[in-house]
Amino acid sequence: MTIPAASVLVPVLNEAAHIRECVAAMQAQQLDEAYELLLIDGGSTDGTRTMLEELAAADPRIRVLDNPGRTIPRALNIGLRMARASVVVRMDAHTLYPPNYLARGLERLRQGDVAWVSGPQLPHGVDKGTNRIALALSTRLGTGGASYRHEMGDESDAASGFTGLFDRAFVESLGGWDEDWSANQDAELAARVRARSGRIVVLPELAARYIPRPTLRSLARQYHRYGVYRAKTCRRHPESTELRHLLPPLVVLTLPAAVLPLPLPRLRLVARMALATYSGSLLTTAASAARRVQVSDAVALPAVFATMHTAWGAGFLAGCMRFGIPLRGIVRAVVTKLRPRPKTRTTA
């Protein structure tokens, strides 16, 4: 039996709407070496499992595995144990990857100076709801400034990555994905990778099209979970905390301060001014988008932004209550931001 060059790990749970299209993109990889697809199902109830079995019956490269634990990190660790290649590749079941993803990623990983190779995560709408959320995610206000969520011109080092290719032995030496992180597991793993001096790079040609949630309700649930586990990551790995992580919870805390009859009128005034500034940024971004998209989509942007930010911020605060306040991370992020940068000397 030929040992594959890469084992692709794909956590799956109720992805009937897009699974065939996504797996077709994975099958169409332009790689001259063998690779396998491990589709790890967490107990889908929407017909996804039947589709996976049909795909596996038609393609010997596909294996369908069970994930009784249902969460993404448990699925990835199951795949890690069952993989036959020395390189493991995490791919998402709601993402479309370019045909050179495996070939170019393997080429870069084999240079030996990096532990994780990934590409930009670019939003890709497929209907009215996902188009509007994708539009929000294509702006800096929608991504919080995460570099790998935008197009780029050259390879760059990153603090974390979106899915990607990994040196299997390196990931195993770290203990795999932490199963206590049902969300934000990439950021948590990235913190451990960097602590072991592992490099994470993002290649522009590996840009993947991510299909976002279709409704504000599902978006709010997703971002609330992200916020909860980002708080946990910040507490476990203080060095991973950035000032941008603190802004959404501040927005949430500002809301009651702006409307409640507090005994401190100056605090209420400051809160209202902050909310006015925040609202202005939402409207400005929407107005800018209206120049290149339909007005109806641009008008929907403030609601999408507000949903993302408040859900994430509320989740972060809930995570602080559940796991403890990441004080070291918060202090470090603020001090790092306020610390003056050293002046660069120039020579005549």
Side-chain angles (χ1 to χ4, degrees), residues 247-248 250-260 267-283 310:
L247 298 180
L250 285 176
V251 170
V252 173
L253 291 173
T254 300
L255 291 170
V259 299
L260 293 178
L267 176 61
R268 186 165 58 245
L269 176 60
V270 170
R272 289 178 177 178
M273 292 175 63
L275 281 181
T277 301
Y278 171 69
S279 300
S281 66
L282 301 188
L283 294 174
T310 56

Side-chain angles (χ1 to χ4, degrees), residues 284-295 298:
T284 300
T285 303
S288 177
R291 302 182 191 135
R292 54 189 174 88
V293 300
Q294 294 183 5
V295 174

